[in-house]
Amino acid sequence: MELGVIAAELADAARRLHQRGFMLATSGNLSAVVSREPLRLAISSSGKDKGSLKPEDFLVVNEHGQTAGAGKPSDELPLHLELADKAKAGAVVHTHSIWGTLLSDRHATDGGLTIQGFEMLKALSGVKTHEHREWIPIIENSQDYGVLRAQVKKTLAAHPASHGILLAGHGLYSWGKDVSEAVRHAEGLEFLLEVKGRKEQAEGR
Amino acid sequence: MELGVIAAELADAARRLHQRGFMLATSGNLSAVVSREPLRLAISSSGKDKGSLKPEDFLVVNEHGQTAGAGKPSDELPLHLELADKAKAGAVVHTHSIWGTLLSDRHATDGGLTIQGFEMLKALSGVKTHEHREWIPIIENSQDYGVLRAQVKKTLAAHPASHGILLAGHGLYSWGKDVSEAVRHAEGLEFLLEVKGRKEQAEGR
Amino acid sequence: MELGVIAAELADAARRLHQRGFMLATSGNLSAVVSREPLRLAISSSGKDKGSLKPEDFLVVNEHGQTAGAGKPSDELPLHLELADKAKAGAVVHTHSIWGTLLSDRHATDGGLTIQGFEMLKALSGVKTHEHREWIPIIENSQDYGVLRAQVKKTLAAHPASHGILLAGHGLYSWGKDVSEAVRHAEGLEFLLEVKGRKEQAEGR
Amino acid sequence: MELGVIAAELADAARRLHQRGFMLATSGNLSAVVSREPLRLAISSSGKDKGSLKPEDFLVVNEHGQTAGAGKPSDELPLHLELADKAKAGAVVHTHSIWGTLLSDRHATDGGLTIQGFEMLKALSGVKTHEHREWIPIIENSQDYGVLRAQVKKTLAAHPASHGILLAGHGLYSWGKDVSEAVRHAEGLEFLLEVKGRKEQAEGR
């Protein structure tokens, strides 16, 4: 697909996720694969306000994370490259929500959390029933993106069926074959995290 | 009414319910009766994002659920057909909200839940006082739509005065004589579910 | 002021309050005084969706609640007339919010609730300090609008300094010298009700 | 920068923060430095609805808080002047949120509150890691703006690294080098306050 079309889709997704409170301030970032061979990724520039991202706020990087022109890609680029490569993601959405922050903090020591029994699970690609048991791995947060990338790689290898990864006290990475599927996964998982968070609260946990 | 007008009304309702968080990702679906004799139902296509549904994303099916042209109607079509037939619904709205998911999960073993004493009950057709006791039946969730349809039929026969049916851990079916009434019932019932959920929480239940 | 201008202001206020979740479904209603001598009140028609009210959805009634033309004013017209008369309200806004419903239900047996110590109190006309103690009277809900009108009259006489009145399990009446002040009071009081509700929850009440 | 451009940015920020529920009714105010030498500050007029602020609703004041023309600046002007001067703020945003009100009330006797361990901290200028420990000082609320200004001055001197100051039961002051950074700080801090508030609730505090 053309870069302009993809960047417009990504900008639109950012506006929508910001409006829902999942990308407040400059938090969150998004990317999509422009070509596979050679790998070219469009990713949001670093430090931009996600409520007013424009198509020109996306940069194209190669498989080494290098840009052709000016501008600085999001610091979390290495994680996007890893997901584009190992999870075969066509698009990656990284959200920071209230419930994602709370639950990833609370369950960090368990290494992940399970969601089961809710119809919204069917928003996840390949899931055919609410009885599905989704494991969302939680990685310890770090400011060393090399360390995080290695953790994401290990996590993907250990849990190839997962649709998202949480960084503790930080937020959710979700992905899909294209922007539309990645956004669907982000909205579905964030909904499920809020349901789980409120259910735990009602149960006094 | 003309198909174009009905499809535009349904698309508008979907945008509004998505914005309020009741149809996140691809969850939820909507339908309206285009003609009674023979029965023709306009229903949202399967797997579409509910935040950007367009009138052309609705398909027309006959009483057997068959479409004339291309496209695949929502998987939950059998429940819409049952409600159009047995509940004499002119329109059906199916929402997935946080509170509907939580309460249908919590009260599933009771077979339903009661709401009484709130003025918002008067949003429901035929209800004249807040003292009205609304029973919202809860059906066990299933991926077998034939089973669900049979449950909906049985439930409608047992509780003909109900304005909505919950599927456990899944969401709410509400309906009305036309799109506008069905949306009013959906908004009213979702409001009442949140009130009930927060009240139970305050009471430590 | 001209009817057209007032009706446009009221329609705009309804859209805004519906969007914030304070007038879901057909709940809530609004009015404004068009002339004092003789009394002429513009009020929302009965049963209209508050998310898409148009200026032509407002009717003009006289001091006896009679309309000149077609259309049926909101059932709660008698309360609007009482507030326009005894509270000297230039505009009246009636909202149905989650927290207003919960708190009016919880504190109904106390006959009202107190809010004190919050800066938002200064959104209320004449209030100069957060130390102000606002008493919001709560009236038992009824479907007899004559009874409710008499209760509103009695309440206004007993608590002339109050800026709003709650109907138990129903919602909030607030008012002001014009539409803009009435909306400010509604937003301010609804904010304070949510703060009070969450504070009580944190304190395990 | 030109006054017209700054006033448009401030009006846009107010709409956005009002929409998120952080400037309901007439609560909240915003300012930005138009020139440093001599100091000229654009600030929202007193008592305007923050959901519909227009560029012409901003006034320019000098270092003594005097306006050249008509109109009355926000009552909280002295605090904006202090922050423009001592914190070298290019823009100041004052929000009133539910969680800011609750937490500033709850922690007032501690003189402040700590936030640590969340990635959103990196929305704050100069913060490079989620391990950062942000102290948000809380000042006792007052209607004497001279007293408040003196408290802000003392607080800035004691906590020069803080990115925001809470007024107890009132709201948050945050600032930045320009409007965009001040809004980023406001959104980031409000997010963190909600996370902290819900975490304390889950822990039964």
Side-chain angles (χ1 to χ4, degrees):
Chain A
M1 208 185 291
E2 249 188 285
L3 173 61
V5 177
I6 286 184
E9 275 192 312
L10 288 169
D12 192 56
R15 255 195 309 278
R16 175 168 161 171
L17 294 164
H18 177 271
Q19 196 173 9
R20 212 164 277 288
F22 295 163
M23 287 194 173
L24 289 188
T26 50
S27 78
N29 35 68
L30 310 90
S31 71
V33 170
V34 181
S35 79
R36 275 282 166 198
E37 303 272 345
L39 183 67
R40 294 292 177 269
L41 202 70
I43 185 164
S44 45
S45 302
S46 179
K48 295 277 176 179
D49 181 299
K50 296 309 177 298
S52 51
L53 269 191
K54 281 175 282 294
E56 56 268 34
D57 294 325
F58 289 86
L59 301 174
V60 176
V61 301
N62 66 15
E63 71 273 30
H64 307 298
Q66 296 159 328
T67 57
K72 187 181 168 302
S74 166
D75 285 344
E76 300 185 34
L77 170 59
L79 285 73
H80 288 257
L81 285 170
E82 192 65 30
L83 289 164
D85 181 14
K86 295 298 187 306
K88 298 290 165 231
V92 177
V93 169
H94 175 39
T95 45
H96 289 208
S97 71
I98 296 285
W99 292 97
T101 301
L102 285 167
L103 284 172
S104 62
D105 179 56
R106 191 186 301 164
H107 292 277
T109 51
D110 308 326
L113 55 85
T114 299
I115 300 178
Q116 187 170 23
F118 299 112
E119 183 74 8
M120 185 62 88
L121 286 160
K122 286 172 62 193
L124 305 177
S125 172
V127 174
K128 300 292 183 206
T129 167
H130 60 284
E131 294 173 350
H132 170 79
R133 184 180 176 284
E134 179 78 13
W135 172 255
I136 308 181
I138 303 175
I139 291 176
E140 200 187 335
N141 198 18
S142 170
Q143 299 307 324
D144 182 329
Y145 296 103
V147 167
L148 283 181
R149 182 174 186 163
Q151 287 297 321
V152 165
K153 186 179 176 177
K154 224 171 81 177
T155 302
L156 285 172
H159 306 286
S162 286
H163 293 80
I165 295 176
L166 282 164
L167 273 63
H170 178 155
L172 176 72
Y173 272 89
S174 45
W175 57 87
K177 65 175 195 270
D178 52 22
V179 175
S180 148
E181 189 175 282
V183 169
R184 194 182 85 212
H185 286 172
E187 281 193 3
L189 288 170
E190 292 290 4
F191 177 94
L192 289 163
L193 288 169
E194 181 171 348
V195 165
K196 188 180 178 69
R198 291 192 183 274
K199 191 175 172 179
E200 288 184 355
Q201 193 174 307
E203 292 167 352
R205 278 190 294 162
Chain B
M1 208 187 290
E2 249 187 287
L3 173 60
V5 177
I6 287 184
E9 276 191 314
L10 288 169
D12 192 57
R15 255 194 310 277
R16 174 168 161 170
L17 293 164
H18 178 270
Q19 197 173 10
R20 211 164 278 288
F22 295 163
M23 288 194 173
L24 289 188
T26 50
S27 79
N29 35 68
L30 311 89
S31 70
V33 171
V34 181
S35 79
R36 274 283 166 198
E37 304 272 346
L39 183 67
R40 293 293 177 269
L41 202 70
I43 185 164
S44 45
S45 303
S46 179
K48 296 277 176 178
D49 181 298
K50 297 308 177 298
S52 52
L53 269 191
K54 281 175 281 294
E56 55 269 33
D57 294 326
F58 289 85
L59 301 174
V60 176
V61 301
N62 66 15
E63 71 274 30
H64 307 296
Q66 297 158 328
T67 57
K72 186 179 167 305
S74 165
D75 286 343
E76 300 185 32
L77 170 60
L79 285 74
H80 288 257
L81 285 170
E82 192 65 31
L83 290 164
D85 181 15
K86 295 298 188 306
K88 298 289 166 235
V92 177
V93 169
H94 175 40
T95 45
H96 289 207
S97 71
I98 297 285
W99 291 99
T101 301
L102 285 167
L103 285 173
S104 61
D105 179 57
R106 189 185 303 164
H107 291 277
T109 51
D110 307 326
L113 55 84
T114 299
I115 299 178
Q116 188 171 24
F118 299 111
E119 183 74 9
M120 185 62 90
L121 286 160
K122 286 172 63 192
L124 306 177
S125 173
V127 174
K128 301 291 183 207
T129 167
H130 60 285
E131 295 172 351
H132 170 80
R133 185 181 175 283
E134 180 77 13
W135 173 255
I136 308 181
I138 303 175
I139 290 175
E140 200 186 336
N141 198 17
S142 169
Q143 298 306 325
D144 182 329
Y145 296 104
V147 167
L148 282 181
R149 181 175 187 164
Q151 287 297 322
V152 165
K153 185 179 177 177
K154 223 172 82 176
T155 302
L156 284 172
H159 306 286
S162 286
H163 294 80
I165 295 176
L166 282 164
L167 274 63
H170 178 154
L172 176 72
Y173 272 90
S174 45
W175 56 87
K177 65 174 196 270
D178 52 23
V179 175
S180 149
E181 189 174 283
V183 170
R184 194 181 85 212
H185 287 172
E187 282 194 2
L189 288 170
E190 292 290 4
F191 177 95
L192 289 163
L193 288 169
E194 181 171 347
V195 166
K196 187 179 178 71
R198 291 192 182 273
K199 190 175 173 178
E200 288 184 356
Q201 192 173 309
E203 293 167 351
R205 279 190 293 163
Chain C
M1 210 187 289
E2 248 187 289
L3 173 61
V5 177
I6 286 183
E9 275 191 313
L10 288 169
D12 192 57
R15 256 195 310 278
R16 174 169 163 170
L17 294 165
H18 177 270
Q19 197 173 9
R20 211 164 277 288
F22 296 163
M23 287 194 173
L24 290 187
T26 49
S27 79
N29 36 67
L30 311 90
S31 71
V33 170
V34 181
S35 79
R36 274 282 167 199
E37 304 272 347
L39 184 67
R40 293 294 177 269
L41 202 70
I43 185 164
S44 46
S45 303
S46 180
K48 295 277 176 179
D49 181 298
K50 296 308 177 299
S52 51
L53 269 191
K54 281 176 281 295
E56 54 269 32
D57 294 325
F58 289 86
L59 301 173
V60 176
V61 300
N62 65 17
E63 72 273 28
H64 308 297
Q66 297 158 329
T67 57
K72 187 179 167 306
S74 166
D75 285 345
E76 300 185 33
L77 170 60
L79 284 74
H80 288 257
L81 285 170
E82 192 65 31
L83 289 164
D85 180 16
K86 295 298 189 307
K88 298 290 165 233
V92 177
V93 169
H94 174 41
T95 45
H96 290 207
S97 71
I98 297 286
W99 292 98
T101 301
L102 284 167
L103 285 173
S104 62
D105 179 56
R106 190 185 303 164
H107 291 277
T109 50
D110 307 326
L113 56 83
T114 298
I115 300 179
Q116 187 171 25
F118 299 111
E119 184 73 8
M120 185 63 89
L121 287 160
K122 285 172 62 192
L124 306 176
S125 173
V127 174
K128 300 292 182 206
T129 167
H130 61 284
E131 295 173 351
H132 170 79
R133 186 180 174 282
E134 179 78 14
W135 172 254
I136 308 181
I138 303 175
I139 291 176
E140 201 186 334
N141 198 17
S142 169
Q143 299 306 324
D144 182 329
Y145 295 104
V147 167
L148 282 181
R149 182 176 188 163
Q151 287 296 323
V152 166
K153 185 179 178 179
K154 223 171 80 177
T155 302
L156 285 172
H159 305 286
S162 287
H163 294 80
I165 295 176
L166 282 164
L167 274 63
H170 177 153
L172 176 71
Y173 272 90
S174 46
W175 57 88
K177 66 175 196 270
D178 52 24
V179 175
S180 150
E181 188 175 284
V183 169
R184 194 181 85 213
H185 287 172
E187 281 193 3
L189 287 170
E190 292 290 4
F191 177 95
L192 289 163
L193 288 169
E194 181 171 348
V195 166
K196 188 179 178 72
R198 291 193 184 274
K199 191 175 172 178
E200 288 185 355
Q201 192 173 309
E203 293 167 350
R205 278 192 292 163
Chain D
M1 207 186 292
E2 249 187 287
L3 173 61
V5 176
I6 286 184
E9 276 192 312
L10 288 169
D12 192 57
R15 256 195 308 279
R16 176 169 161 171
L17 294 165
H18 177 270
Q19 196 172 9
R20 212 163 278 287
F22 295 163
M23 287 193 174
L24 290 187
T26 49
S27 78
N29 36 68
L30 311 90
S31 71
V33 170
V34 181
S35 79
R36 274 281 166 199
E37 304 271 347
L39 184 67
R40 293 294 177 269
L41 202 71
I43 185 164
S44 46
S45 302
S46 179
K48 296 277 175 178
D49 181 299
K50 296 308 178 298
S52 52
L53 268 191
K54 281 176 282 293
E56 55 267 34
D57 294 326
F58 289 85
L59 301 174
V60 176
V61 301
N62 64 16
E63 72 273 29
H64 307 297
Q66 296 158 328
T67 57
K72 187 179 167 304
S74 165
D75 285 344
E76 300 185 32
L77 170 59
L79 284 74
H80 288 257
L81 285 170
E82 192 64 31
L83 290 164
D85 181 14
K86 295 296 188 308
K88 297 292 165 231
V92 177
V93 169
H94 174 40
T95 45
H96 289 207
S97 71
I98 296 285
W99 292 98
T101 302
L102 284 167
L103 285 173
S104 61
D105 179 56
R106 190 185 302 164
H107 292 277
T109 51
D110 307 326
L113 55 84
T114 298
I115 300 178
Q116 187 170 24
F118 299 111
E119 183 74 8
M120 186 62 89
L121 286 160
K122 286 172 61 193
L124 306 177
S125 173
V127 175
K128 300 293 183 205
T129 167
H130 60 284
E131 294 172 352
H132 170 79
R133 186 181 174 283
E134 180 79 12
W135 172 254
I136 309 181
I138 304 175
I139 290 175
E140 200 187 335
N141 198 18
S142 169
Q143 298 307 324
D144 182 329
Y145 296 103
V147 167
L148 282 181
R149 183 176 186 163
Q151 287 297 322
V152 165
K153 186 180 176 178
K154 223 171 81 177
T155 301
L156 285 172
H159 306 285
S162 286
H163 294 81
I165 295 176
L166 283 164
L167 274 62
H170 178 154
L172 176 71
Y173 272 90
S174 44
W175 57 88
K177 67 174 195 270
D178 52 23
V179 175
S180 149
E181 188 175 283
V183 169
R184 195 181 85 212
H185 287 172
E187 282 193 3
L189 288 170
E190 292 289 5
F191 177 95
L192 289 163
L193 288 170
E194 181 171 347
V195 166
K196 187 179 177 72
R198 290 193 183 275
K199 191 176 172 178
E200 288 185 356
Q201 193 174 309
E203 293 167 350
R205 279 189 292 161

